[in-house]
Amino acid sequence: MNFKKLLLMTTITTAALTSCGDGAEKKSEESTNEKVTKVAWGEADGKPVDLYTLTNANGVQIKISTYGGVVTSWVTPDKAGNKSNVVLGFDSLSGYLAKPPYFGAIIGRYGNRIGKGTFKIDTTTYQLATNNGENHLHGGNKGYDKVVWDAKAADSTASLTLTYLSKDGEEGYPGNLNITVVYTLTDDNELLIDYTAETDKATVVNLTNHSYFNLTGDVNNTILDHQLQINADKYTPVDAGLIPTGELKDVKGTPFDFLQPHKIGERIAAVDGGYDHNFVLTRKGSDLELVATLSDSVSGRKLEVFTTEPGLQFYSGNFLDGTIKTSDGKSINLRTGLCLETQHFPDSPNQPTFPSTLLKPGEKYHTVTKYKISVN
Ligand code: BGC
């Protein structure tokens, strides 16, 4: 796959219009190419929002909203061939405007927490919005999950390019940051997410996607019986505010040892509050590598996570409490979805020993993550 080539693809949009009873022509589903369609999905921030559907050769479908760049659904077959949605999401924009905890969204400018919302670049100290107690979480009060992205479908592939200009000073961050996120659904049932960004002032960047997976395809089931394997022999322990202490701790002999597959429910009671930790990935190089595998024996579905990133936040849906309902009225209860967020480590701007998240003018931020779903 040539990622650069994907970015350069232009879009030919052929809009299909349908007639309304009153004679006025109303926009309904539009076909941008045979693998991508879009519908108008409402309005946010005074801007129109669209919902795109990517379809691959196997009839697998992924829907993406221009609001937050949210993956709203991923409909894929189980071992019996029955298709269902394996990510938490809603059928309408109103579900997202009610601010669910980052369901399916693009997260930025900085994924996860920055201690006390402050950091220093050279001699300048920056103060970000503090939206999680005294800390900064997932880009602040209005992160990239709550903005409307510009979108362009590719001319012939099941691919969508989203762009957003995050202005200098937004949520306290320095520099105008031009961001491009390309989502591509392949015929191997992979969702490729390619993130690039450039700045005009030194800043910090850590982009990720916050999809909650439930491989059973039914939110009535928890994820506690899912088996998880993570290529990480260390993790970053956190303080009470979930800020890393700076230590890289051995997973050996702890409930964080997922080097071999374990059921998520097996040792979760021994982890205060449940899993919400950054795993230090054991990587061979800087290429896209398989770093984690999640599987559900009932549906037979398997999710593999590949990334170029050094870290993976495994979040076991600890703050889901049933107050949010799916579009068909089911309660989204504790641990009915889990996130595998590929990223740099939390609070890196304040942790000199962690891989750097600094981006300077003239440099290009570029990371790639791939989620692949298959059936056993
Ligand atoms: C964080 C959690 C946070 C959640 C919000 C995760 O990425 O690690 O601490 O509560 O996002 O949904």
Side-chain angles (χ1 to χ4, degrees):
M1 175 66 66
N2 181 339
F3 299 116
K4 288 217 177 84
K5 198 168 157 208
L6 274 178
L7 286 175
L8 295 174
M9 280 177 175
T10 51
T11 315
I12 305 158
T13 305
T14 50
L17 298 168
T18 54
S19 274
C20 291
D22 60 3
E25 288 207 302
K26 190 177 176 288
K27 255 198 216 168
S28 68
E29 186 145 276
E30 295 178 13
S31 220
T32 61
N33 75 45
E34 58 176 14
K35 294 169 183 162
V36 185
T37 58
K38 74 166 177 174
V39 284
W41 219 43
E43 208 183 280
D45 251 0
K47 291 182 198 144
V49 174
D50 292 319
L51 182 71
Y52 283 82
T53 302
L54 312 184
T55 306
N56 75 4
N58 314 314
V60 168
Q61 287 196 322
I62 291 181
K63 290 187 190 287
I64 295 160
S65 160
T66 56
Y67 178 76
V70 171
V71 175
T72 69
S73 78
W74 183 341
V75 175
T76 185
D78 63 12
K79 63 184 175 193
N82 299 316
K83 284 183 184 160
S84 51
N85 177 19
V86 296
V87 294
L88 300 187
F90 306 105
D91 292 348
S92 66
L93 181 60
S94 58
Y96 295 96
L97 297 179
K99 301 188 181 157
Y102 308 95
F103 281 16
I106 297 171
I107 304 295
R109 188 174 299 200
Y110 197 95
N112 214 283
R113 291 175 178 79
I114 295 180
K116 299 196 170 63
T118 188
F119 62 92
K120 222 167 155 180
I121 298 178
D122 299 325
T123 52
T124 311
T125 300
Y126 293 96
Q127 180 60 55
L128 305 174
T130 47
N131 59 322
N132 189 249
E134 60 177 9
N135 300 321
H136 176 88
L137 174 67
H138 291 339
N141 295 313
K142 191 175 174 189
Y144 301 165
D145 58 300
K146 297 182 188 71
V147 303
V148 180
W149 292 67
D150 290 323
K152 218 172 190 192
D155 53 359
S156 60
T157 54
S159 182
L160 183 71
T161 297
L162 298 176
T163 50
Y164 176 65
L165 168 65
S166 169
K167 296 240 173 82
D168 186 15
E170 191 180 275
E171 300 294 316
Y173 289 101
N176 290 297
L177 188 72
N178 260 303
I179 310 141
T180 301
V181 177
V182 185
Y183 282 114
T184 304
L185 171 63
T186 73
D187 289 340
D188 288 330
N189 302 341
E190 302 161 322
L191 176 63
L192 261 168
I193 316 178
D194 183 292
Y195 305 87
T196 49
E198 283 177 285
T199 186
D200 59 3
K201 215 188 251 181
T203 189
V204 292
V205 187
N206 189 26
L207 306 176
T208 190
N209 176 276
H210 208 288
S211 287
Y212 289 73
F213 293 94
N214 183 325
L215 297 182
T216 72
D218 182 352
V219 80
N220 282 338
N221 304 317
T222 71
I223 46 78
L224 294 173
D225 284 339
H226 285 34
Q227 295 257 2
L228 180 63
Q229 188 271 328
I230 307 176
N231 291 351
D233 51 20
K234 291 193 168 52
Y235 74 105
T236 50
V238 286
D239 68 14
L242 299 180
I243 300 296
T245 59
E247 186 191 356
L248 303 186
K249 200 168 175 188
D250 236 303
V251 296
K252 209 169 165 209
T254 77
F256 300 95
D257 187 348
F258 284 96
L259 286 164
Q260 297 301 318
H262 284 272
K263 274 196 180 173
I264 289 164
E266 187 186 321
R267 301 164 299 177
I268 199 167
V271 183
D272 196 18
Y275 294 102
D276 190 1
H277 293 81
N278 171 66
F279 286 74
V280 179
L281 298 170
T282 320
R283 309 185 50 91
K284 289 180 207 77
S286 58
D287 290 345
L288 194 58
E289 273 177 38
L290 177 65
V291 296
T293 304
L294 180 74
S295 54
D296 164 49
S297 60
V298 179
S299 67
R301 291 190 184 97
K302 179 168 90 174
L303 170 75
E304 290 168 299
V305 184
F306 301 74
T307 191
T308 59
E309 289 278 26
L312 180 79
Q313 185 81 11
F314 165 36
Y315 170 57
S316 54
N318 309 329
F319 299 114
L320 300 174
D321 61 4
T323 51
I324 302 173
K325 308 251 185 293
T326 61
S327 299
D328 51 0
K330 293 179 182 171
S331 293
I332 302 178
N333 292 317
L334 182 70
R335 304 200 171 119
T336 53
L338 70 92
C339 302
L340 295 169
E341 300 156 72
T342 54
Q343 59 178 19
H344 271 55
F345 308 168
D347 200 33
S348 299
N350 296 310
Q351 304 278 355
T353 59
F354 288 180
S356 173
T357 51
L358 187 65
L359 183 73
K360 293 185 186 151
E363 294 176 347
K364 194 161 197 164
Y365 173 96
H366 184 211
T367 72
V368 183
T369 289
K370 179 169 87 173
Y371 295 102
K372 175 177 176 148
I373 297 185
S374 54
V375 277
N376 286 322

